[in-house]
Amino acid sequence: MASYILALDQGTTSSRAILFDAAGQVCGVEQQEYPQIYPQPAWVEHNPEAIWQSQLGVAQRLLQSKQVSAKEVAAIGITNQRETTILWDRRTGEPVGNAIVWQDRRTTSFCEQLTAQGLAPLFRERTGLPLDPYFSGTKIRWMLDNIAGLRERAERGDIAFGTVDCFLLWRLTGGRVHATDVSNASRTLLFNIHTLEWDDELLALMNLPRSLFPDVKPNSHLFGETEVSLFGASIPIGGMAGDQHAATFGQACHQPGMAKNTYGTGSFLLLNTGTTAQTSQNGLLTTVAWRLGETTTYALEGSVFITGAAVQWLRDELQIISSASEIEALAGSVPNSGGVYFVPAFVGLGAPYWDAYARGTILGLTRGAGRAHIARATLEAVCYQSRDVLDAMQADSHQPLKELRVDGGMTRNALLLQLQADSLGIPVVRPTVTETTALGAGYLAGLAVGYWKDTTEIAKQWQAERVFEPRLSEDEREAQKQGWRRAIERARGWAEGE
């Protein structure tokens, strides 16, 4: 039996490769950042070739540095930044232009047109999603309408669409496989989450040819094999899932009522609702969590667009820290934020507000406010935004949450997790293995090839490393909540009419 599972974790700011053993433990990691492209305010792009070269490079370097041959890898699992949209030529594999990233807001006016036509309820009923620039469908439409000659090529069947998982699968298999999984498909505004098929009526409303779209498979599935030239031998690709779905699976939130929060560029909270696609009344998304065999599991999700990216902003633009890890000590050097609130709505606000016109705002500044107060307000903003989403989840599900499982790069910050527990009033649990996004993709791949037997075996591997208990009184928590609500209201609608 092969010794390892290889997970490819293609994120918004970096590509990573991680080796896991049969116990679900990390055996090696390689990571590489790649450039972010900002052509205009609120536009965000990536070069698809930079995505591919960085992802392939870290995978090759990891196997080489650990002296692991391709034959020792049982399967590859892929997880990815979701909604980011790539179109490429089916014959050459060449992208037609830059990828439009999930954060990009250029299709706001088109979403408003569809809403004005009264179509929002139809899209929400079929896809579980609001009409928002976040999702892939309007990005595809924009590319067809704005890249010269592209619509004609697409109508001829010469162009392929994919989210990042699909593009990587195409490249890894030498163009033999054009497929995605149900979790990534469910983030496009074009996929019926009840029938689990591309929705022809929605495609027609968006004026998108059906030939663009990949086959849709379960998350644990033998998608294909890698080209021999890439790793020295072919490796089965056995699992694919969007990053937040993979993290939920890796956190062993396999039962209804369990929830996790991943703190990355943004923060993403998912609550397992079982085999029921529960409609939100409170600004959340209904999404496919995963499909194993013939069983589909659904989730409620709240997406916070900017959390870790706010720390990067302090580092790169304000330059009040020189590395992201410095924020914990700086924020911890003051007992509170001194009344400062930071709403990092750089690309609008996601759940539960869905305000594409909100913009970043710092409030409550006095002469005594300094970089430490802004740093602490940044961490508090991460927590407050997550609390807004969890409040909405509990209102929708009518279930009080017992604990929140957390993962992602920011969870190394103990102050952040204590602030999160304080703001929520429930325990926040950090697992022993915090690479849960990659681990979830690895688990899905391993299940497809028999490396692990079932989800029961996987759930037994999950262990808590530290539990953060809330320390604030209810009165203190409520005072914070009121201040945050005032700050949010001042950030909303700022760019409307520009």
Side-chain angles (χ1 to χ4, degrees), residues 400-421:
L401 198 63
K402 296 185 178 71
E403 66 176 27
L404 179 65
R405 294 185 174 186
V406 298
D407 55 74
M410 291 187 81
T411 59
R412 290 189 290 269
N413 186 327
L415 175 60
L416 172 73
L417 299 188
Q418 185 58 56
L419 291 171
Q420 187 71 85

Side-chain angles (χ1 to χ4, degrees), residues 132-149:
D132 189 86
Y134 180 22
F135 307 107
S136 310
T138 59
K139 301 179 196 298
I140 305 169
R141 164 70 180 261
W142 188 94
M143 293 172 84
L144 294 188
D145 288 347
N146 288 276
I147 297 175

Side-chain angles (χ1 to χ4, degrees), residues 345-362:
F346 299 144
V347 291
L349 288 168
Y353 304 102
W354 297 107
D355 184 347
Y357 294 108
R359 288 294 179 266
T361 312
I362 300 177

